[in-house]
Amino acid sequence: MGRRMDFPQRGGRMAKRLSRVELEYIAGTITEKYYALPQKGRIMEAVDPERLASEVVGLNVSYLPLCQDDSVMGLSAFADLEIQIQLDNGTVEEVRLGDRDIVIDSALLEERNRGRRNFTMAHETAHHILAMMYPMEYGAGSGSSSHVLYRRNEVCRDWEEWQADTMAAALLMPSELVRFCMYFFGLGEALGFVDALDTSFQHGRFCDMANYMGVSKKALEIRLRRMKLL
């Protein structure tokens, strides 16, 4: 277990503005490839974001301690760079990253952080998908940044972060999987208000659905709202 040293700051740039419909479509093409992998092919199975990142998108996933206060959850590298991490014993180590690397904060490996870990990995994967599709607007191809950090509890700062969040939700929670799980967990075609859900028999099934999909209850709530199912 270690602690991250300082990274260079990210530069500003004009991100390509994709609509939610466009982001959903791109995510759908990726999840189709994911479900075509060996031993997959069943839409009712939850998405493993690490397998999707590595076997479909071609990324290298690693876990490192990214910060002392747990404020940074993930990092996407768009070019070769070096970072320094400080271990708990005070030792400082240099780590080399390449343009296909994503790093997840090792603190998220704890089981209680499973939902946040999965969403962070999907978020970083989305950054790389966008960089591959639009190299002049994203990543090193834009000439302004070699990496991007994903920070905890931070409101989306710009279009690029909003787009990564939106695509991450669609990668982790494909609409077909969401609708199947609604049926499988006995939640019907749609739910009522979330406040009523908290006090009804449906709450336990809603929590079971989030756990099955490997997402936080908040992430599932937002996804259901976007799909007009809540």
Side-chain angles (χ1 to χ4, degrees), residues 31 35 43 47 169-179 223:
T31 53
Y35 282 110
I43 194 61
V47 174
L171 290 172
L172 272 183
M173 297 171 278
S175 58
E176 296 89 345
L177 175 62
V178 170
R179 294 183 188 282
R223 181 63 169 156

Side-chain angles (χ1 to χ4, degrees), residues 59-93:
L59 303 177
N60 305 309
V61 180
S62 60
Y63 297 88
L64 294 171
L66 289 178
C67 64
Q68 191 169 14
D69 59 2
D70 296 330
S71 63
V72 177
M73 299 183 294
L75 178 153
S76 286
F78 304 122
D80 294 342
L81 73 152
E82 293 183 358
I83 62 174
Q84 289 185 326
I85 60 172
Q86 183 175 355
L87 305 180
D88 285 340
N89 62 9
T91 303
V92 176
E93 294 185 358

Side-chain angles (χ1 to χ4, degrees), residues 16-26 159 162-163 166:
K16 186 176 181 64
R17 299 193 175 193
L18 299 174
S19 69
R20 188 180 300 278
V21 172
E22 290 172 313
L23 293 165
E24 291 269 357
Y25 176 80
I26 295 170
W159 272 96
W162 177 84
Q163 289 174 154
T166 300

Side-chain angles (χ1 to χ4, degrees), residues 193 195-205:
F193 294 103
D195 291 340
L197 177 66
D198 289 339
T199 58
S200 73
F201 75 97
Q202 292 180 323
H203 178 66
R205 297 181 182 183

Side-chain angles (χ1 to χ4, degrees), residues 1-2 73 86 106 143 147 165 172 177 190-191 226-227 230:
M1 188 72 174
M73 299 183 294
Q86 183 175 355
S106 53
H147 71 282
D165 272 351
L172 272 183
L177 175 62
L191 295 170
R226 295 302 183 191
M227 293 179 62
L230 178 63

